[in-house]
mmCIF file with all atom_site columns, all heavy atoms in Angstrom:
data_model
loop_
_atom_site.group_PDB
_atom_site.id
_atom_site.type_symbol
_atom_site.label_atom_id
_atom_site.label_alt_id
_atom_site.label_comp_id
_atom_site.label_asym_id
_atom_site.label_entity_id
_atom_site.label_seq_id
_atom_site.pdbx_PDB_ins_code
_atom_site.Cartn_x
_atom_site.Cartn_y
_atom_site.Cartn_z
_atom_site.occupancy
_atom_site.B_iso_or_equiv
_atom_site.pdbx_formal_charge
_atom_site.auth_seq_id
_atom_site.auth_comp_id
_atom_site.auth_asym_id
_atom_site.auth_atom_id
_atom_site.pdbx_PDB_model_num
ATOM 1   N N   . ILE A 1 18  ? 8.479  -31.610 -29.146 1.00 0.00 ? 18  ILE A N   1
ATOM 2   C CA  . ILE A 1 18  ? 9.450  -31.262 -30.187 1.00 0.00 ? 18  ILE A CA  1
ATOM 3   C C   . ILE A 1 18  ? 8.835  -30.254 -31.162 1.00 0.00 ? 18  ILE A C   1
ATOM 4   O O   . ILE A 1 18  ? 7.629  -30.208 -31.353 1.00 0.00 ? 18  ILE A O   1
ATOM 5   C CB  . ILE A 1 18  ? 10.012 -32.482 -30.947 1.00 0.00 ? 18  ILE A CB  1
ATOM 6   C CG1 . ILE A 1 18  ? 8.971  -33.108 -31.841 1.00 0.00 ? 18  ILE A CG1 1
ATOM 7   C CG2 . ILE A 1 18  ? 10.638 -33.510 -30.037 1.00 0.00 ? 18  ILE A CG2 1
ATOM 8   C CD1 . ILE A 1 18  ? 9.616  -34.012 -32.862 1.00 0.00 ? 18  ILE A CD1 1
ATOM 9   N N   . PHE A 1 19  ? 9.726  -29.483 -31.715 1.00 0.00 ? 19  PHE A N   1
ATOM 10  C CA  . PHE A 1 19  ? 9.310  -28.429 -32.633 1.00 0.00 ? 19  PHE A CA  1
ATOM 11  C C   . PHE A 1 19  ? 9.783  -28.814 -34.035 1.00 0.00 ? 19  PHE A C   1
ATOM 12  O O   . PHE A 1 19  ? 10.953 -29.127 -34.243 1.00 0.00 ? 19  PHE A O   1
ATOM 13  C CB  . PHE A 1 19  ? 9.952  -27.103 -32.196 1.00 0.00 ? 19  PHE A CB  1
ATOM 14  C CG  . PHE A 1 19  ? 9.544  -25.940 -33.035 1.00 0.00 ? 19  PHE A CG  1
ATOM 15  C CD1 . PHE A 1 19  ? 8.266  -25.409 -32.929 1.00 0.00 ? 19  PHE A CD1 1
ATOM 16  C CD2 . PHE A 1 19  ? 10.427 -25.374 -33.941 1.00 0.00 ? 19  PHE A CD2 1
ATOM 17  C CE1 . PHE A 1 19  ? 7.877  -24.326 -33.711 1.00 0.00 ? 19  PHE A CE1 1
ATOM 18  C CE2 . PHE A 1 19  ? 10.053 -24.298 -34.715 1.00 0.00 ? 19  PHE A CE2 1
ATOM 19  C CZ  . PHE A 1 19  ? 8.768  -23.773 -34.601 1.00 0.00 ? 19  PHE A CZ  1
ATOM 20  N N   . ILE A 1 89  ? 14.682 -21.689 -33.800 1.00 0.00 ? 89  ILE A N   1
ATOM 21  C CA  . ILE A 1 89  ? 15.019 -22.601 -32.692 1.00 0.00 ? 89  ILE A CA  1
ATOM 22  C C   . ILE A 1 89  ? 15.253 -21.801 -31.413 1.00 0.00 ? 89  ILE A C   1
ATOM 23  O O   . ILE A 1 89  ? 14.759 -22.150 -30.345 1.00 0.00 ? 89  ILE A O   1
ATOM 24  C CB  . ILE A 1 89  ? 16.267 -23.435 -33.055 1.00 0.00 ? 89  ILE A CB  1
ATOM 25  C CG1 . ILE A 1 89  ? 15.922 -24.413 -34.172 1.00 0.00 ? 89  ILE A CG1 1
ATOM 26  C CG2 . ILE A 1 89  ? 16.802 -24.189 -31.831 1.00 0.00 ? 89  ILE A CG2 1
ATOM 27  C CD1 . ILE A 1 89  ? 17.110 -25.142 -34.758 1.00 0.00 ? 89  ILE A CD1 1
ATOM 28  N N   . TYR A 1 93  ? 13.480 -22.456 -27.921 1.00 0.00 ? 93  TYR A N   1
ATOM 29  C CA  . TYR A 1 93  ? 14.430 -23.438 -27.362 1.00 0.00 ? 93  TYR A CA  1
ATOM 30  C C   . TYR A 1 93  ? 14.015 -23.948 -25.988 1.00 0.00 ? 93  TYR A C   1
ATOM 31  O O   . TYR A 1 93  ? 14.030 -25.153 -25.721 1.00 0.00 ? 93  TYR A O   1
ATOM 32  C CB  . TYR A 1 93  ? 15.829 -22.819 -27.303 1.00 0.00 ? 93  TYR A CB  1
ATOM 33  C CG  . TYR A 1 93  ? 16.896 -23.810 -26.887 1.00 0.00 ? 93  TYR A CG  1
ATOM 34  C CD1 . TYR A 1 93  ? 17.439 -24.694 -27.813 1.00 0.00 ? 93  TYR A CD1 1
ATOM 35  C CD2 . TYR A 1 93  ? 17.350 -23.866 -25.572 1.00 0.00 ? 93  TYR A CD2 1
ATOM 36  C CE1 . TYR A 1 93  ? 18.405 -25.606 -27.439 1.00 0.00 ? 93  TYR A CE1 1
ATOM 37  C CE2 . TYR A 1 93  ? 18.314 -24.788 -25.194 1.00 0.00 ? 93  TYR A CE2 1
ATOM 38  C CZ  . TYR A 1 93  ? 18.838 -25.649 -26.135 1.00 0.00 ? 93  TYR A CZ  1
ATOM 39  O OH  . TYR A 1 93  ? 19.808 -26.569 -25.759 1.00 0.00 ? 93  TYR A OH  1
ATOM 40  N N   . ASP A 1 97  ? 11.998 -30.162 -26.255 1.00 0.00 ? 97  ASP A N   1
ATOM 41  C CA  . ASP A 1 97  ? 13.091 -31.098 -25.925 1.00 0.00 ? 97  ASP A CA  1
ATOM 42  C C   . ASP A 1 97  ? 13.965 -31.410 -27.133 1.00 0.00 ? 97  ASP A C   1
ATOM 43  O O   . ASP A 1 97  ? 15.069 -31.951 -26.990 1.00 0.00 ? 97  ASP A O   1
ATOM 44  C CB  . ASP A 1 97  ? 12.498 -32.413 -25.399 1.00 0.00 ? 97  ASP A CB  1
ATOM 45  C CG  . ASP A 1 97  ? 11.675 -32.169 -24.154 1.00 0.00 ? 97  ASP A CG  1
ATOM 46  O OD1 . ASP A 1 97  ? 12.255 -31.742 -23.152 1.00 0.00 ? 97  ASP A OD1 1
ATOM 47  O OD2 . ASP A 1 97  ? 10.446 -32.381 -24.209 1.00 0.00 ? 97  ASP A OD2 1
ATOM 48  N N   . GLY A 1 98  ? 13.446 -31.131 -28.308 1.00 0.00 ? 98  GLY A N   1
ATOM 49  C CA  . GLY A 1 98  ? 14.217 -31.413 -29.515 1.00 0.00 ? 98  GLY A CA  1
ATOM 50  C C   . GLY A 1 98  ? 13.579 -30.712 -30.698 1.00 0.00 ? 98  GLY A C   1
ATOM 51  O O   . GLY A 1 98  ? 12.448 -30.202 -30.609 1.00 0.00 ? 98  GLY A O   1
ATOM 52  N N   . PHE A 1 99  ? 14.310 -30.672 -31.809 1.00 0.00 ? 99  PHE A N   1
ATOM 53  C CA  . PHE A 1 99  ? 13.884 -29.900 -32.971 1.00 0.00 ? 99  PHE A CA  1
ATOM 54  C C   . PHE A 1 99  ? 14.101 -30.720 -34.239 1.00 0.00 ? 99  PHE A C   1
ATOM 55  O O   . PHE A 1 99  ? 15.123 -31.395 -34.375 1.00 0.00 ? 99  PHE A O   1
ATOM 56  C CB  . PHE A 1 99  ? 14.683 -28.591 -33.051 1.00 0.00 ? 99  PHE A CB  1
ATOM 57  C CG  . PHE A 1 99  ? 14.633 -27.846 -31.750 1.00 0.00 ? 99  PHE A CG  1
ATOM 58  C CD1 . PHE A 1 99  ? 15.556 -28.121 -30.735 1.00 0.00 ? 99  PHE A CD1 1
ATOM 59  C CD2 . PHE A 1 99  ? 13.628 -26.934 -31.502 1.00 0.00 ? 99  PHE A CD2 1
ATOM 60  C CE1 . PHE A 1 99  ? 15.480 -27.488 -29.505 1.00 0.00 ? 99  PHE A CE1 1
ATOM 61  C CE2 . PHE A 1 99  ? 13.543 -26.289 -30.272 1.00 0.00 ? 99  PHE A CE2 1
ATOM 62  C CZ  . PHE A 1 99  ? 14.465 -26.561 -29.272 1.00 0.00 ? 99  PHE A CZ  1
ATOM 63  N N   . VAL A 1 100 ? 13.120 -30.643 -35.144 1.00 0.00 ? 100 VAL A N   1
ATOM 64  C CA  . VAL A 1 100 ? 13.266 -31.308 -36.445 1.00 0.00 ? 100 VAL A CA  1
ATOM 65  C C   . VAL A 1 100 ? 13.176 -30.232 -37.516 1.00 0.00 ? 100 VAL A C   1
ATOM 66  O O   . VAL A 1 100 ? 12.270 -29.395 -37.478 1.00 0.00 ? 100 VAL A O   1
ATOM 67  C CB  . VAL A 1 100 ? 12.153 -32.362 -36.665 1.00 0.00 ? 100 VAL A CB  1
ATOM 68  C CG1 . VAL A 1 100 ? 12.176 -32.885 -38.102 1.00 0.00 ? 100 VAL A CG1 1
ATOM 69  C CG2 . VAL A 1 100 ? 12.318 -33.521 -35.688 1.00 0.00 ? 100 VAL A CG2 1
ATOM 70  N N   . LEU A 1 122 ? 24.636 -26.144 -27.244 1.00 0.00 ? 122 LEU A N   1
ATOM 71  C CA  . LEU A 1 122 ? 23.428 -26.886 -27.612 1.00 0.00 ? 122 LEU A CA  1
ATOM 72  C C   . LEU A 1 122 ? 23.315 -28.122 -26.719 1.00 0.00 ? 122 LEU A C   1
ATOM 73  O O   . LEU A 1 122 ? 24.229 -28.934 -26.661 1.00 0.00 ? 122 LEU A O   1
ATOM 74  C CB  . LEU A 1 122 ? 23.531 -27.300 -29.090 1.00 0.00 ? 122 LEU A CB  1
ATOM 75  C CG  . LEU A 1 122 ? 22.339 -28.022 -29.694 1.00 0.00 ? 122 LEU A CG  1
ATOM 76  C CD1 . LEU A 1 122 ? 21.104 -27.121 -29.724 1.00 0.00 ? 122 LEU A CD1 1
ATOM 77  C CD2 . LEU A 1 122 ? 22.667 -28.490 -31.112 1.00 0.00 ? 122 LEU A CD2 1
ATOM 78  N N   . ALA A 1 123 ? 22.171 -28.247 -26.051 1.00 0.00 ? 123 ALA A N   1
ATOM 79  C CA  . ALA A 1 123 ? 21.994 -29.383 -25.133 1.00 0.00 ? 123 ALA A CA  1
ATOM 80  C C   . ALA A 1 123 ? 20.872 -30.302 -25.600 1.00 0.00 ? 123 ALA A C   1
ATOM 81  O O   . ALA A 1 123 ? 20.562 -31.285 -24.928 1.00 0.00 ? 123 ALA A O   1
ATOM 82  C CB  . ALA A 1 123 ? 21.698 -28.866 -23.733 1.00 0.00 ? 123 ALA A CB  1
ATOM 83  N N   . LYS A 1 124 ? 20.267 -29.981 -26.753 1.00 0.00 ? 124 LYS A N   1
ATOM 84  C CA  . LYS A 1 124 ? 19.124 -30.760 -27.250 1.00 0.00 ? 124 LYS A CA  1
ATOM 85  C C   . LYS A 1 124 ? 19.356 -31.106 -28.718 1.00 0.00 ? 124 LYS A C   1
ATOM 86  O O   . LYS A 1 124 ? 20.058 -30.374 -29.406 1.00 0.00 ? 124 LYS A O   1
ATOM 87  C CB  . LYS A 1 124 ? 17.849 -29.923 -27.125 1.00 0.00 ? 124 LYS A CB  1
ATOM 88  C CG  . LYS A 1 124 ? 17.572 -29.443 -25.704 1.00 0.00 ? 124 LYS A CG  1
ATOM 89  C CD  . LYS A 1 124 ? 16.378 -28.506 -25.646 1.00 0.00 ? 124 LYS A CD  1
ATOM 90  C CE  . LYS A 1 124 ? 16.140 -28.040 -24.214 1.00 0.00 ? 124 LYS A CE  1
ATOM 91  N NZ  . LYS A 1 124 ? 14.968 -27.152 -24.095 1.00 0.00 ? 124 LYS A NZ  1
ATOM 92  N N   . PRO A 1 125 ? 18.729 -32.188 -29.192 1.00 0.00 ? 125 PRO A N   1
ATOM 93  C CA  . PRO A 1 125 ? 18.961 -32.532 -30.602 1.00 0.00 ? 125 PRO A CA  1
ATOM 94  C C   . PRO A 1 125 ? 18.284 -31.575 -31.580 1.00 0.00 ? 125 PRO A C   1
ATOM 95  O O   . PRO A 1 125 ? 17.142 -31.172 -31.363 1.00 0.00 ? 125 PRO A O   1
ATOM 96  C CB  . PRO A 1 125 ? 18.351 -33.941 -30.747 1.00 0.00 ? 125 PRO A CB  1
ATOM 97  C CG  . PRO A 1 125 ? 17.625 -34.241 -29.495 1.00 0.00 ? 125 PRO A CG  1
ATOM 98  C CD  . PRO A 1 125 ? 17.921 -33.183 -28.479 1.00 0.00 ? 125 PRO A CD  1
ATOM 99  N N   . VAL A 1 126 ? 19.033 -31.227 -32.623 1.00 0.00 ? 126 VAL A N   1
ATOM 100 C CA  . VAL A 1 126 ? 18.465 -30.516 -33.777 1.00 0.00 ? 126 VAL A CA  1
ATOM 101 C C   . VAL A 1 126 ? 18.640 -31.482 -34.948 1.00 0.00 ? 126 VAL A C   1
ATOM 102 O O   . VAL A 1 126 ? 19.763 -31.787 -35.350 1.00 0.00 ? 126 VAL A O   1
ATOM 103 C CB  . VAL A 1 126 ? 19.206 -29.189 -34.048 1.00 0.00 ? 126 VAL A CB  1
ATOM 104 C CG1 . VAL A 1 126 ? 18.708 -28.555 -35.335 1.00 0.00 ? 126 VAL A CG1 1
ATOM 105 C CG2 . VAL A 1 126 ? 19.042 -28.231 -32.883 1.00 0.00 ? 126 VAL A CG2 1
ATOM 106 N N   . VAL A 1 127 ? 17.538 -31.994 -35.466 1.00 0.00 ? 127 VAL A N   1
ATOM 107 C CA  . VAL A 1 127 ? 17.588 -33.082 -36.448 1.00 0.00 ? 127 VAL A CA  1
ATOM 108 C C   . VAL A 1 127 ? 17.129 -32.587 -37.806 1.00 0.00 ? 127 VAL A C   1
ATOM 109 O O   . VAL A 1 127 ? 15.993 -32.115 -37.949 1.00 0.00 ? 127 VAL A O   1
ATOM 110 C CB  . VAL A 1 127 ? 16.671 -34.246 -35.999 1.00 0.00 ? 127 VAL A CB  1
ATOM 111 C CG1 . VAL A 1 127 ? 16.780 -35.408 -36.966 1.00 0.00 ? 127 VAL A CG1 1
ATOM 112 C CG2 . VAL A 1 127 ? 17.014 -34.692 -34.578 1.00 0.00 ? 127 VAL A CG2 1
ATOM 113 N N   . LEU A 1 128 ? 18.009 -32.697 -38.792 1.00 0.00 ? 128 LEU A N   1
ATOM 114 C CA  . LEU A 1 128 ? 17.601 -32.336 -40.147 1.00 0.00 ? 128 LEU A CA  1
ATOM 115 C C   . LEU A 1 128 ? 17.250 -33.596 -40.912 1.00 0.00 ? 128 LEU A C   1
ATOM 116 O O   . LEU A 1 128 ? 17.972 -34.608 -40.828 1.00 0.00 ? 128 LEU A O   1
ATOM 117 C CB  . LEU A 1 128 ? 18.734 -31.617 -40.883 1.00 0.00 ? 128 LEU A CB  1
ATOM 118 C CG  . LEU A 1 128 ? 18.898 -30.146 -40.500 1.00 0.00 ? 128 LEU A CG  1
ATOM 119 C CD1 . LEU A 1 128 ? 19.969 -30.006 -39.447 1.00 0.00 ? 128 LEU A CD1 1
ATOM 120 C CD2 . LEU A 1 128 ? 19.263 -29.320 -41.715 1.00 0.00 ? 128 LEU A CD2 1
ATOM 121 N N   . ALA A 1 149 ? 13.168 -38.995 -37.649 1.00 0.00 ? 149 ALA A N   1
ATOM 122 C CA  . ALA A 1 149 ? 13.688 -37.719 -37.125 1.00 0.00 ? 149 ALA A CA  1
ATOM 123 C C   . ALA A 1 149 ? 12.920 -37.315 -35.873 1.00 0.00 ? 149 ALA A C   1
ATOM 124 O O   . ALA A 1 149 ? 13.508 -36.862 -34.883 1.00 0.00 ? 149 ALA A O   1
ATOM 125 C CB  . ALA A 1 149 ? 13.584 -36.638 -38.199 1.00 0.00 ? 149 ALA A CB  1
ATOM 126 N N   . TYR A 1 151 ? 11.456 -39.296 -33.812 1.00 0.00 ? 151 TYR A N   1
ATOM 127 C CA  . TYR A 1 151 ? 11.862 -40.191 -32.709 1.00 0.00 ? 151 TYR A CA  1
ATOM 128 C C   . TYR A 1 151 ? 13.195 -39.743 -32.098 1.00 0.00 ? 151 TYR A C   1
ATOM 129 O O   . TYR A 1 151 ? 13.364 -39.740 -30.883 1.00 0.00 ? 151 TYR A O   1
ATOM 130 C CB  . TYR A 1 151 ? 11.996 -41.636 -33.220 1.00 0.00 ? 151 TYR A CB  1
ATOM 131 C CG  . TYR A 1 151 ? 10.706 -42.416 -33.101 1.00 0.00 ? 151 TYR A CG  1
ATOM 132 C CD1 . TYR A 1 151 ? 9.524  -41.934 -33.657 1.00 0.00 ? 151 TYR A CD1 1
ATOM 133 C CD2 . TYR A 1 151 ? 10.660 -43.641 -32.437 1.00 0.00 ? 151 TYR A CD2 1
ATOM 134 C CE1 . TYR A 1 151 ? 8.337  -42.636 -33.552 1.00 0.00 ? 151 TYR A CE1 1
ATOM 135 C CE2 . TYR A 1 151 ? 9.476  -44.357 -32.327 1.00 0.00 ? 151 TYR A CE2 1
ATOM 136 C CZ  . TYR A 1 151 ? 8.314  -43.849 -32.890 1.00 0.00 ? 151 TYR A CZ  1
ATOM 137 O OH  . TYR A 1 151 ? 7.152  -44.537 -32.774 1.00 0.00 ? 151 TYR A OH  1
ATOM 138 N N   . ILE A 1 152 ? 14.163 -39.381 -32.942 1.00 0.00 ? 152 ILE A N   1
ATOM 139 C CA  . ILE A 1 152 ? 15.486 -38.974 -32.411 1.00 0.00 ? 152 ILE A CA  1
ATOM 140 C C   . ILE A 1 152 ? 15.344 -37.659 -31.637 1.00 0.00 ? 152 ILE A C   1
ATOM 141 O O   . ILE A 1 152 ? 15.919 -37.495 -30.558 1.00 0.00 ? 152 ILE A O   1
ATOM 142 C CB  . ILE A 1 152 ? 16.517 -38.782 -33.559 1.00 0.00 ? 152 ILE A CB  1
ATOM 143 C CG1 . ILE A 1 152 ? 16.637 -40.038 -34.414 1.00 0.00 ? 152 ILE A CG1 1
ATOM 144 C CG2 . ILE A 1 152 ? 17.862 -38.332 -33.013 1.00 0.00 ? 152 ILE A CG2 1
ATOM 145 C CD1 . ILE A 1 152 ? 17.405 -41.166 -33.848 1.00 0.00 ? 152 ILE A CD1 1
ATOM 146 N N   . ALA A 1 153 ? 14.569 -36.729 -32.209 1.00 0.00 ? 153 ALA A N   1
ATOM 147 C CA  . ALA A 1 153 ? 14.371 -35.451 -31.513 1.00 0.00 ? 153 ALA A CA  1
ATOM 148 C C   . ALA A 1 153 ? 13.537 -35.653 -30.252 1.00 0.00 ? 153 ALA A C   1
ATOM 149 O O   . ALA A 1 153 ? 13.713 -34.952 -29.261 1.00 0.00 ? 153 ALA A O   1
ATOM 150 C CB  . ALA A 1 153 ? 13.700 -34.442 -32.448 1.00 0.00 ? 153 ALA A CB  1
ATOM 151 N N   . GLY A 1 154 ? 12.635 -36.640 -30.292 1.00 0.00 ? 154 GLY A N   1
ATOM 152 C CA  . GLY A 1 154 ? 11.777 -36.900 -29.137 1.00 0.00 ? 154 GLY A CA  1
ATOM 153 C C   . GLY A 1 154 ? 12.361 -37.975 -28.239 1.00 0.00 ? 154 GLY A C   1
ATOM 154 O O   . GLY A 1 154 ? 11.642 -38.773 -27.650 1.00 0.00 ? 154 GLY A O   1
ATOM 155 N N   . TRP A 1 155 ? 13.666 -37.982 -28.113 1.00 0.00 ? 155 TRP A N   1
ATOM 156 C CA  . TRP A 1 155 ? 14.428 -38.982 -27.364 1.00 0.00 ? 155 TRP A CA  1
ATOM 157 C C   . TRP A 1 155 ? 13.841 -39.302 -25.996 1.00 0.00 ? 155 TRP A C   1
ATOM 158 O O   . TRP A 1 155 ? 13.845 -40.455 -25.570 1.00 0.00 ? 155 TRP A O   1
ATOM 159 C CB  . TRP A 1 155 ? 15.874 -38.485 -27.194 1.00 0.00 ? 155 TRP A CB  1
ATOM 160 C CG  . TRP A 1 155 ? 15.957 -37.136 -26.543 1.00 0.00 ? 155 TRP A CG  1
ATOM 161 C CD1 . TRP A 1 155 ? 15.780 -35.925 -27.146 1.00 0.00 ? 155 TRP A CD1 1
ATOM 162 C CD2 . TRP A 1 155 ? 16.177 -36.843 -25.156 1.00 0.00 ? 155 TRP A CD2 1
ATOM 163 N NE1 . TRP A 1 155 ? 15.897 -34.911 -26.243 1.00 0.00 ? 155 TRP A NE1 1
ATOM 164 C CE2 . TRP A 1 155 ? 16.144 -35.429 -25.010 1.00 0.00 ? 155 TRP A CE2 1
ATOM 165 C CE3 . TRP A 1 155 ? 16.430 -37.627 -24.035 1.00 0.00 ? 155 TRP A CE3 1
ATOM 166 C CZ2 . TRP A 1 155 ? 16.336 -34.804 -23.784 1.00 0.00 ? 155 TRP A CZ2 1
ATOM 167 C CZ3 . TRP A 1 155 ? 16.619 -36.997 -22.814 1.00 0.00 ? 155 TRP A CZ3 1
ATOM 168 C CH2 . TRP A 1 155 ? 16.565 -35.604 -22.697 1.00 0.00 ? 155 TRP A CH2 1
ATOM 169 N N   . LYS A 1 156 ? 13.302 -38.293 -25.341 1.00 0.00 ? 156 LYS A N   1
ATOM 170 C CA  . LYS A 1 156 ? 12.827 -38.478 -23.972 1.00 0.00 ? 156 LYS A CA  1
ATOM 171 C C   . LYS A 1 156 ? 11.687 -39.497 -23.947 1.00 0.00 ? 156 LYS A C   1
ATOM 172 O O   . LYS A 1 156 ? 11.722 -40.453 -23.170 1.00 0.00 ? 156 LYS A O   1
ATOM 173 C CB  . LYS A 1 156 ? 12.308 -37.138 -23.454 1.00 0.00 ? 156 LYS A CB  1
ATOM 174 C CG  . LYS A 1 156 ? 13.020 -36.594 -22.259 1.00 0.00 ? 156 LYS A CG  1
ATOM 175 C CD  . LYS A 1 156 ? 12.335 -35.302 -21.902 1.00 0.00 ? 156 LYS A CD  1
ATOM 176 C CE  . LYS A 1 156 ? 12.887 -34.709 -20.658 1.00 0.00 ? 156 LYS A CE  1
ATOM 177 N NZ  . LYS A 1 156 ? 12.186 -33.442 -20.398 1.00 0.00 ? 156 LYS A NZ  1
ATOM 178 N N   . PRO A 1 161 ? 18.947 -42.074 -25.923 1.00 0.00 ? 161 PRO A N   1
ATOM 179 C CA  . PRO A 1 161 ? 19.857 -41.060 -25.373 1.00 0.00 ? 161 PRO A CA  1
ATOM 180 C C   . PRO A 1 161 ? 19.638 -39.714 -26.071 1.00 0.00 ? 161 PRO A C   1
ATOM 181 O O   . PRO A 1 161 ? 19.280 -39.679 -27.245 1.00 0.00 ? 161 PRO A O   1
ATOM 182 C CB  . PRO A 1 161 ? 21.257 -41.602 -25.709 1.00 0.00 ? 161 PRO A CB  1
ATOM 183 C CG  . PRO A 1 161 ? 21.056 -42.998 -26.168 1.00 0.00 ? 161 PRO A CG  1
ATOM 184 C CD  . PRO A 1 161 ? 19.658 -43.144 -26.635 1.00 0.00 ? 161 PRO A CD  1
ATOM 185 N N   . CYS A 1 162 ? 19.875 -38.658 -25.343 1.00 0.00 ? 162 CYS A N   1
ATOM 186 C CA  . CYS A 1 162 ? 19.789 -37.317 -25.938 1.00 0.00 ? 162 CYS A CA  1
ATOM 187 C C   . CYS A 1 162 ? 21.052 -37.074 -26.768 1.00 0.00 ? 162 CYS A C   1
ATOM 188 O O   . CYS A 1 162 ? 22.166 -37.318 -26.299 1.00 0.00 ? 162 CYS A O   1
ATOM 189 C CB  . CYS A 1 162 ? 19.691 -36.273 -24.827 1.00 0.00 ? 162 CYS A CB  1
ATOM 190 S SG  . CYS A 1 162 ? 19.773 -34.586 -25.438 1.00 0.00 ? 162 CYS A SG  1
ATOM 191 N N   . ILE A 1 163 ? 20.885 -36.607 -27.989 1.00 0.00 ? 163 ILE A N   1
ATOM 192 C CA  . ILE A 1 163 ? 22.045 -36.224 -28.804 1.00 0.00 ? 163 ILE A CA  1
ATOM 193 C C   . ILE A 1 163 ? 22.123 -34.698 -28.776 1.00 0.00 ? 163 ILE A C   1
ATOM 194 O O   . ILE A 1 163 ? 21.332 -34.029 -29.434 1.00 0.00 ? 163 ILE A O   1
ATOM 195 C CB  . ILE A 1 163 ? 21.906 -36.715 -30.270 1.00 0.00 ? 163 ILE A CB  1
ATOM 196 C CG1 . ILE A 1 163 ? 21.625 -38.214 -30.312 1.00 0.00 ? 163 ILE A CG1 1
ATOM 197 C CG2 . ILE A 1 163 ? 23.156 -36.364 -31.064 1.00 0.00 ? 163 ILE A CG2 1
ATOM 198 C CD1 . ILE A 1 163 ? 21.462 -38.776 -31.721 1.00 0.00 ? 163 ILE A CD1 1
ATOM 199 N N   . PRO A 1 164 ? 23.067 -34.137 -28.027 1.00 0.00 ? 164 PRO A N   1
ATOM 200 C CA  . PRO A 1 164 ? 23.103 -32.676 -27.912 1.00 0.00 ? 164 PRO A CA  1
ATOM 201 C C   . PRO A 1 164 ? 23.847 -32.043 -29.082 1.00 0.00 ? 164 PRO A C   1
ATOM 202 O O   . PRO A 1 164 ? 24.818 -31.306 -28.904 1.00 0.00 ? 164 PRO A O   1
ATOM 203 C CB  . PRO A 1 164 ? 23.854 -32.469 -26.588 1.00 0.00 ? 164 PRO A CB  1
ATOM 204 C CG  . PRO A 1 164 ? 24.768 -33.654 -26.496 1.00 0.00 ? 164 PRO A CG  1
ATOM 205 C CD  . PRO A 1 164 ? 24.126 -34.793 -27.244 1.00 0.00 ? 164 PRO A CD  1
ATOM 206 N N   . GLU A 1 165 ? 23.386 -32.357 -30.276 1.00 0.00 ? 165 GLU A N   1
ATOM 207 C CA  . GLU A 1 165 ? 24.111 -31.950 -31.483 1.00 0.00 ? 165 GLU A CA  1
ATOM 208 C C   . GLU A 1 165 ? 23.126 -31.679 -32.614 1.00 0.00 ? 165 GLU A C   1
ATOM 209 O O   . GLU A 1 165 ? 21.978 -32.105 -32.556 1.00 0.00 ? 165 GLU A O   1
ATOM 210 C CB  . GLU A 1 165 ? 25.021 -33.086 -31.980 1.00 0.00 ? 165 GLU A CB  1
ATOM 211 C CG  . GLU A 1 165 ? 26.085 -33.534 -31.022 1.00 0.00 ? 165 GLU A CG  1
ATOM 212 C CD  . GLU A 1 165 ? 27.129 -34.397 -31.718 1.00 0.00 ? 165 GLU A CD  1
ATOM 213 O OE1 . GLU A 1 165 ? 27.449 -34.132 -32.889 1.00 0.00 ? 165 GLU A OE1 1
ATOM 214 O OE2 . GLU A 1 165 ? 27.605 -35.338 -31.085 1.00 0.00 ? 165 GLU A OE2 1
ATOM 215 N N   . VAL A 1 166 ? 23.642 -31.034 -33.664 1.00 0.00 ? 166 VAL A N   1
ATOM 216 C CA  . VAL A 1 166 ? 22.898 -30.953 -34.922 1.00 0.00 ? 166 VAL A CA  1
ATOM 217 C C   . VAL A 1 166 ? 23.206 -32.232 -35.688 1.00 0.00 ? 166 VAL A C   1
ATOM 218 O O   . VAL A 1 166 ? 24.384 -32.563 -35.892 1.00 0.00 ? 166 VAL A O   1
ATOM 219 C CB  . VAL A 1 166 ? 23.348 -29.726 -35.750 1.00 0.00 ? 166 VAL A CB  1
ATOM 220 C CG1 . VAL A 1 166 ? 22.624 -29.689 -37.085 1.00 0.00 ? 166 VAL A CG1 1
ATOM 221 C CG2 . VAL A 1 166 ? 23.120 -28.440 -34.971 1.00 0.00 ? 166 VAL A CG2 1
ATOM 222 N N   . VAL A 1 167 ? 22.181 -32.975 -36.074 1.00 0.00 ? 167 VAL A N   1
ATOM 223 C CA  . VAL A 1 167 ? 22.413 -34.230 -36.789 1.00 0.00 ? 167 VAL A CA  1
ATOM 224 C C   . VAL A 1 167 ? 21.561 -34.294 -38.049 1.00 0.00 ? 167 VAL A C   1
ATOM 225 O O   . VAL A 1 167 ? 20.541 -33.607 -38.157 1.00 0.00 ? 167 VAL A O   1
ATOM 226 C CB  . VAL A 1 167 ? 22.104 -35.474 -35.919 1.00 0.00 ? 167 VAL A CB  1
ATOM 227 C CG1 . VAL A 1 167 ? 23.092 -35.610 -34.773 1.00 0.00 ? 167 VAL A CG1 1
ATOM 228 C CG2 . VAL A 1 167 ? 20.678 -35.469 -35.397 1.00 0.00 ? 167 VAL A CG2 1
#
Side-chain angles (χ1 to χ4, degrees):
I18 71 163
F19 183 73
I89 291 171
Y93 186 81
D97 300 296
F99 308 87
V100 171
L122 183 64
K124 303 174 180 181
V126 174
V127 183
L128 282 96
Y151 270 54
I152 304 284
W155 56 279
K156 241 181 176 179
C162 173
I163 307 180
E165 299 194 36
V166 177
V167 292

